[in-house]
């Protein structure tokens, strides 16, 4: 038995990057993992990787910008598995540009995915979890950019992630007495292409972070995944409405 044996876990954005590693690690700890995103192919790759290790996983194509998709996603999980124990709202995107030059459609796109997407997921996940005898746990994925740090060119992304942190805290207060525990993991730069500045290679990023960050490097996806699983596990039962900041000392 492990912390997540027989748990039903949803990971949005589970087809790539950090979400894929989170999905694989939950499966290694015994969970049945549902990965959701817009791209069937990448989701399928995650499912195959999990099944190749003897784990259980399913891919469901869903766009968090569409309320109907999110409703159908959560509905299919609860119909098929009878419950939803853990949800990791990890789907996100980054569009950069200084405010005066940022097309309004880019601003809206970032908010539609990163803020409204998390809101839609929370709505449907909470509705399912609050009816369950054992409740449920939700981990939103924020970023230090926004709630803790401001970076020129990242206004839309930062404002969106600051909103995710505020949304997380408020929803946590609203539902903890109904058995739904909600927190956020709030990373600094992680080892995916999203942390590359325009035109930067991984080697350039390593050089930049060696100078910029107290820890001198990017977070590994395993470090991120460990933080997500801590917040999803009973070990963190008294942690409610927090940002678990994972940033190599950037905001210390
Ligand atoms: N990498 C970093 O340095 C860093 C730092 C702090 C926070 N974060 C956050 O960590 C999370 C994961 O990022 P990552 O670095 O792993 O980047 P990534 O590989 O680009 O992952 C983002 C995932 O979200 C999915 N997604 C995007 N839009 C979606 C939509 N409308 N509906 C459903 N799924 C959608 C993408 O899949 P599809 O395109 O197939 O839909 C993709 O799998 C994001 O929330 C990001 O903001 C990243």
């Amino acid at each position: 038995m492990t912390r997540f044996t027989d748990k039903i876990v949803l990971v949005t954005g589970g087809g790539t990057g950090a979400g894929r590693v989170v999905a694989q690690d939950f499966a290694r700890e015994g969970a049945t993992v549902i990965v959701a995103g817009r791209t069937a192919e990448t989701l399928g790759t995650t499912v195959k990787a999990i099944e190749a290790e003897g784990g259980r996983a399913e891919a469901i194509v869903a766009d968090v910008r569409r309320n109907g998709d999110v409703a159908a996603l959560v509905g299919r999980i609860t119909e098929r598995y009878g419950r939803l124990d853990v949800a990791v709202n990890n789907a996100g995107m980054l569009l950069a540009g200084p405010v005066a030059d940022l097309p309004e459609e880019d601003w809206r796109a970032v908010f539609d995915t990163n803020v409204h997407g998390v809101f839609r997921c929370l709505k449907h996940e909470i509705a399912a979890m609050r009816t369950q005898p054992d409740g449920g746990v939700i981990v939103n994925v924020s970023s230090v950019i926004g709630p803790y740090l401001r970076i020129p060119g990242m206004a839309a992304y930062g404002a969106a992630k600051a909103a995710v942190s505020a949304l997380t805290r408020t929803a946590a207060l609203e539902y903890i007495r109904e058995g739904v525990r909600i927190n956020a993991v709030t990373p600094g730069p992680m080892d995916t292409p999203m942390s590359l500045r325009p035109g930067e290679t991984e080697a350039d990023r390593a050089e930049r972070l060696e100078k910029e960050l107290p820890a001198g490097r990017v977070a590994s996806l395993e470090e991120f995944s460990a933080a997500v699983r801590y917040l999803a596990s009973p070990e963190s039962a008294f942690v409610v409405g927090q940002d678990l900041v994972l940033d190599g000392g950037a905001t210390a």
Side-chain angles (χ1 to χ4, degrees), residues 13 16 18 38-39 62-64 90-92 141-142 157 161 187-188 190 192 195:
T16 66
R38 293 167 301 177
T39 315
D63 185 338
V64 299
N90 164 78
V141 178
S142 185
Y157 184 80
K161 291 296 191 180
M190 297 195 286
T192 77
S195 64

Side-chain angles (χ1 to χ4, degrees), residues 12-20 36-43 60-66 69-70 89-94 109 112-114 117-118 120-121 140-145 157 161 185-196 205 218-219 221 224 246:
T12 69
T16 66
R20 175 175 289 167
R38 293 167 301 177
T39 315
E41 196 187 342
T42 54
L43 296 171
I60 300 180
V61 173
D63 185 338
V64 299
R65 297 171 302 179
R66 296 195 187 132
D69 279 21
V70 180
N89 295 322
N90 164 78
M93 54 102 79
L94 168 66
D112 203 10
T113 299
N114 293 5
V118 171
R120 292 179 194 107
C121 288
N140 292 330
V141 178
S142 185
S143 167
V144 287
I145 299 173
Y157 184 80
K161 291 296 191 180
V185 173
T186 298
M190 297 195 286
D191 190 9
T192 77
M194 199 185 277
S195 64
L196 296 171
R205 181 184 62 193
V218 285
L221 301 184
F224 170 74
L246 196 77

Side-chain angles (χ1 to χ4, degrees), residues 70-129:
V70 180
L73 168 68
V74 175
R76 181 155 152 197
I77 293 169
T78 52
E79 264 164 43
R80 176 150 186 204
Y81 302 100
R83 59 187 202 282
L84 173 62
D85 298 305
V86 174
V88 183
N89 295 322
N90 164 78
M93 54 102 79
L94 168 66
L95 294 174
V99 172
D101 299 327
L102 192 69
E104 186 175 331
E105 64 196 83
D106 286 9
W107 173 272
R108 287 182 184 278
V110 170
F111 267 70
D112 203 10
T113 299
N114 293 5
V115 187
H116 307 157
V118 171
F119 165 72
R120 292 179 194 107
C121 288
L122 283 173
K123 261 181 96 69
H124 296 288
E125 292 157 0
I126 291 166
M129 289 175 174

Side-chain angles (χ1 to χ4, degrees), residues 9-15 19-20 22-23 26 33-37 86-88 90:
V9 176
L10 165 64
V11 182
T12 69
R20 175 175 289 167
V22 167
F26 270 114
V33 183
I34 296 89
V35 285
V86 174
V88 183
N90 164 78

